[in-house]
Amino acid sequence: MTSTVSMPLWVLLLLIAFAAVTFASHFLFPSVRWFFRRRLERAVSKLNERLARPIQPFKLARRHDMIQRLIYDPDVTQAIVDYAARNNVREDVAFEQARRYAREIVPSFSAFAYFGFGTRLANWLANLLYDVRTGPHNGEIIDGIEHDATLIFIMNHRSNMDYVLVTTLAAQSSALSYAVGEWARVWPLSRLIKAMGAYFIRRRSRGGLYRAVLARYVQMATTGGVTQAIFPEGGLTLNGTVQPAKLGLLSYVIEGWKPGGRDVVFVPVAINYDRVLEDRVLIAAGTRGDRRFRAGKRKVLRGVLRIVWQRMRGRFKRFGAASVVFAPPVRLSDYGPEPSLDTLGRDLMQRIEAEMPVLAVPMVARTLLRSGGPMTEAALTAAARRIMTASGAETVPEGALDAEIAHACAALAARAAIRRSGEGWIIAEGGAPLLTFYAASIAHLLPGQPARDAALASGVAAPAGS
């Protein structure tokens, strides 16, 4: 026992390294994790005191535990058995496939990343690029929803800035959990998005096993009271209009809801812009009839650098207004013990359309497309006032209407969509598609005139007397 053992130096160093790793993994790391987790729990407790809707324990659960809970759920287990039988594979192989789906879907929410970094960045970016406006009753609508209900924002999808705007507006209320498409599954963006509490969905996946895993996660989050945000259109609008709802995620919510349990309250959210950052990319995709967004990385980088350079020189001007309006909420319990999915989806989209903000650029675009001739800024302002009266919109302050119409005309002229003639503003050659994209966002709010509406839809101005 006391005899000397000699060994090469590299073996001794290897033994020391193994011993250090064993000590750290069994004694040091658990203690460190416990220390930081206790500090995090205290920080979250203080944060919840100022949030209107505190962060639910489900959202704070360890990601590993959530994955285990998800893949051992009875519904997912049955889906694994069915998948193995249908595809003639062993059940352990099907189980590992379900585990991969769960790891892909389940987020790793960090309260520090969300409130310490994400919401601050979102607020800075939104106010850098836009004059951010909110509906006059947004705060009242959120305050009027019972705290023990699950809140789900249902939004139209015009731009990837939608995530930023709604995150900014909801930051004082709660932490949002977004359903994010496959575009964001790029490292390191994917890690940041998961830390913000978002979960990825494969919009093109039709496999029963994947749908079972996704459905159970959405249902667990809903039952756990997690505040969520869903884009039911399934993707960005290519023509500016609000698209019919794709009911996949909503169907999961309804299937997991039990009458008498925690109620689910949907808040329809209408979003509109004076300038959609991706507008030309979306229009091009709509013209081709596909959803391939061909925005080159160099072009995006040049745009970012141009904004940074203009900002440094004090010459950057914001892209006009970006407005977010909450519609009256919809309670799932109001639809009876067996809610109709089609009826719910239709009601939600109609409420979004009814509350669509009416901004200066869409009003100028619609007026010029319908006029068929030159219009002065005074005539455009008068037409905008009539549009606001007909739609019931209060998005543009009356006292600021003249200035906003002038700014909208200058912005559209800078993008070669309109040009000034001797008698006023007219549509520039090749400018109709861009104007149509913006005009379409408010066309449903205004009294229909078939001949002119057909011209509007095609992007060609109708004669003034039609």
Side-chain angles (χ1 to χ4, degrees), residues 40 43-44 47 55 60 108-117 195:
L40 176 61
V44 170
L47 176 64
I55 303 172
L60 298 172
S108 52
F109 176 73
S110 166
F112 172 77
Y114 190 92
F115 290 99
F117 172 73

Side-chain angles (χ1 to χ4, degrees), residues 233-296:
E233 294 169 291
L236 293 168
T237 176
L238 303 184
N239 59 11
T241 63
V242 177
Q243 303 298 301
K246 296 180 179 179
L247 304 176
L249 289 179
L250 286 177
S251 70
Y252 300 154
V253 173
I254 290 178
E255 291 167 3
W257 178 71
K258 299 294 188 295
R262 186 193 294 267
D263 203 358
V264 179
V265 180
F266 300 98
V267 175
V269 181
I271 306 174
N272 207 359
Y273 299 85
D274 271 330
R275 166 76 183 274
V276 173
L277 299 181
E278 314 93 328
D279 52 12
R280 294 195 186 277
V281 174
L282 298 174
I283 293 168
T287 301
R288 294 192 306 269
D290 60 34
R291 298 195 65 86
R292 297 179 181 178
F293 303 137
R294 301 174 181 176

